[in-house]
């Protein structure tokens, strides 16, 4: 198996989730965890699995992630299993600001648009997009989220 977890992270929380997902997916020689801006040419060749993760900022993935996804050729993910995750504020924090709750109800979070884009490029989505929660804008992640991320990754492995 050749797998890659591509992520970006403003404050380090999504990076921690990406590393936890990568570790749970398999051995380091099979699984590369790479920041979106550092994906080298040819690194995508022969991938079995591509997982993409971003912090949710303004209801969307970071521009570096959207840019990475746009750079994948039209049917470039044909035959590749794909999955997407984000990190995000808790429901409770969002409900504290009424206007924010309204926009979230319309625009949602980053994971779904990432998954949609991966599928559009030919990828085979193996698990539902998932969100992992941070306690505040800069984190930390809520307790247990890294374990939940590892569990999510194990479900991906089971679906390969
Ligand atoms: C400018 C900005 C906009 C944000 N917008 C959202 C949002 O729309 N929805 C949400 O759930 N969290 C939002 N957040 C919280 C981020 O999701 C949180 O900072 C992120 O998960 C932390 O991950 P990171 O350390 O990898 O950057 C926002 C944070 C920033 C800084």
């Amino acid at each position: 198996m050749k797998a890659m977890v591509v992520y970006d992270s403003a404050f380090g929380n999504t990076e921690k989730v990406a590393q936890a997902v990568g570790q749970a997916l398999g051995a380091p020689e099979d699984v590369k965890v790479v920041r979106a801006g550092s994906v080298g040419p040819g690194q995508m060749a022969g991938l079995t699995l591509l997982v993409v993760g971003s912090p949710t900022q303004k209801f969307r993935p970071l521009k570096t992630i959207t840019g990475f996804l746009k750079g994948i050729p039209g049917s470039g993910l044909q035959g590749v299993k794909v999955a997407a995750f984000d990190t995000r504020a808790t429901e409770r924090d969002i409900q504290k600001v009424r206007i924010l709750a309204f926009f979230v109800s319309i625009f949602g979070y980053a994971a779904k648009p990432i998954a949609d884009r991966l599928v559009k490029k030919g990828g085979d989505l193996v698990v539902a997009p998932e969100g992992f929660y941070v306690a505040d804008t800069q984190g930390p992640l809520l307790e247990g989220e890294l374990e939940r991320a590892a569990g999510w990754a194990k479900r991906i492995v089971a679906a390969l």
Side-chain angles (χ1 to χ4, degrees):
M1 177 183 74
K2 185 179 168 192
M4 190 152 76
V5 181
V6 176
Y7 72 94
D8 204 359
S9 184
F11 308 110
N13 299 282
T14 313
E15 180 166 32
K16 284 185 184 146
V17 174
Q19 298 289 358
V21 166
Q23 262 182 30
L25 285 176
E29 60 266 32
D30 294 331
V31 185
K32 300 292 168 225
V33 181
V34 188
R35 198 178 268 270
S38 308
V39 180
Q43 227 180 339
M44 304 267 297
L47 274 188
T48 317
L49 169 71
L50 174 65
V51 180
V52 180
S54 174
T56 304
Q57 281 200 5
K58 298 181 188 155
F59 322 105
R60 290 185 294 260
L62 293 184
K63 285 208 167 67
T64 44
I65 292 293
T66 335
F68 165 74
L69 295 168
K70 277 193 184 146
I72 299 172
S75 299
L77 296 178
Q78 211 83 54
V80 181
K81 311 279 187 195
V82 296
F85 70 89
D86 64 47
T87 57
R88 55 178 73 172
T90 62
E91 188 72 21
R92 199 159 157 240
D93 280 346
I94 287 167
Q95 292 302 334
K96 282 183 199 159
V97 188
R98 241 172 127 181
I99 189 73
L100 189 60
F102 173 70
F103 281 118
V104 168
S105 72
I106 296 172
F107 297 114
Y109 302 94
K112 174 79 166 59
I114 294 172
D116 289 348
R117 187 62 71 111
L118 291 169
V119 169
K120 220 169 169 185
K121 301 279 177 165
D124 173 18
L125 192 69
V126 286
V127 292
E130 186 60 280
F132 300 98
Y133 294 102
V134 292
D136 216 327
T137 302
Q138 300 198 12
L141 287 156
L142 292 197
E143 215 180 307
E145 288 302 78
L146 291 179
E147 292 74 14
R148 201 162 67 80
W152 181 72
K154 290 291 180 201
R155 281 180 23 229
I156 295 174
V157 174
L160 290 179

